[in-house]
Amino acid sequence: MSIRDKLDISAYLVVGPENTNGRPVKEIVEAALSAGFTCFQMRSKTASAREMISLCGDAAEVIAEAGKSDDVALLVDDRLDVVLAAREGGIKVDGIHVGQSDIPVDVCRKYLGEDSIVGLSARTDELFDYVEHADTAPIDYFGAGPLHETATKPDCGRDRNGNTITRSLDDVRKLSHISPVPVVVGGGVKAKDIPGLAKTGTAGFFVVSAVAGADDPYAAAAELVDLWNKSK
């Protein structure tokens, strides 16, 4: 059984060097993993390809040392080249997450193979119609949001006119019901949002600054996981 078959996106951390307040990304991944996070995405708009490969190596090492390489997924945002190069170097990267304007998901699937994970950010415009009718054969999950406006990714949830569209819990509930693949929701998510999100039927939540930017990343991550598990 591949990790794709066991994909758990219930507690999903997106992180890169610009999110950690100067601390090593490896340190943040270690804290979140210890707290029970189940999926990690390396994302950076400033790091070079070599830096991203190094970050993948650090994260994969943390996951392996915890004995969780077969259960906790490590993904890369957007950079198919980084995934392929990291794998060539012996680093266990399990897949990729792409946006609507990134490399097409069928191309990702072709190069990464059937055992890899491919996630896709859901389209902002005409969201529900898109999710209900899109060809989801090449992908494993949709990422959706934002729940709130967020400084971490200010372009998240922008429509064609540049306006930010946030999603209500009712939106998330409807989206989770109609989507043929699991949905993970994020964008400004804080601890207070978790109990409500957990009751919508969504497969999980994703965060960046709520953990990577916290004074105590382990405590912040543990609180989120505990709230999710108690609220399901």
Side-chain angles (χ1 to χ4, degrees):
M1 180 181 291
S2 72
I3 196 167
R4 185 185 182 194
D5 299 315
K6 300 188 290 183
L7 177 62
D8 183 349
I9 51 175
S10 59
Y12 186 139
L13 180 65
V14 180
V15 63
E18 54 263 60
N19 311 129
T20 64
N21 294 336
R23 296 167 294 192
V25 169
K26 185 176 183 178
E27 180 181 306
I28 305 298
V29 171
E30 191 168 25
L33 182 68
S34 299
F37 266 64
T38 60
C39 187
F40 292 87
Q41 180 193 131
M42 298 294 105
R43 183 183 78 189
S44 177
K45 301 305 179 185
T46 61
S48 69
R50 287 183 182 270
E51 288 169 333
M52 285 294 290
I53 293 165
S54 178
L55 290 174
C56 289
D58 288 344
E61 182 181 351
V62 168
I63 294 169
E65 287 178 350
K68 296 182 177 179
S69 295
D70 293 334
D71 303 298
V72 172
L74 175 59
L75 312 177
V76 173
D77 177 62
D78 184 19
R79 301 292 301 271
L80 181 60
D81 59 333
V82 168
V83 180
L84 294 171
R87 287 182 170 183
E88 190 69 20
I91 299 169
K92 187 178 184 293
V93 178
D94 300 299
I96 194 167
H97 180 93
V98 292
Q100 293 287 338
S101 60
D102 296 330
I103 296 173
V105 291
D106 55 342
V107 175
C108 294
R109 176 63 65 204
K110 175 183 176 181
Y111 281 95
L112 296 182
E114 289 304 312
D115 289 339
S116 296
I117 296 161
V118 177
L120 176 66
S121 294
R123 184 178 295 169
T124 297
D125 292 332
E126 302 171 345
L127 175 69
F128 300 112
D129 184 68
Y130 171 73
V131 166
E132 191 170 17
H133 297 106
D135 176 14
T136 56
I139 70 170
D140 297 287
Y141 70 89
F142 277 122
L147 200 64
H148 310 291
E149 290 194 50
T150 170
T152 305
K153 195 176 182 186
D155 59 342
C156 180
R158 291 284 176 89
D159 65 15
R160 293 170 186 170
N161 297 317
N163 301 309
T164 299
I165 302 174
T166 57
R167 299 297 171 188
S168 68
L169 292 180
D170 283 342
D171 287 342
V172 174
R173 187 174 292 107
K174 179 180 178 181
L175 189 63
S176 301
H177 177 71
I178 66 174
S179 177
V181 294
V183 177
V184 61
V185 176
V189 168
K190 302 289 189 293
K192 62 182 174 62
D193 299 308
I194 298 297
L197 266 180
K199 291 178 170 59
T200 62
T202 189
F205 64 90
F206 70 83
V207 293
V208 185
S209 58
V211 170
D215 291 338
D216 186 336
Y218 173 81
E223 181 184 18
L224 293 169
V225 171
D226 185 56
L227 284 168
W228 177 266
N229 291 336
K230 285 181 176 177
S231 302
K232 288 294 288 179

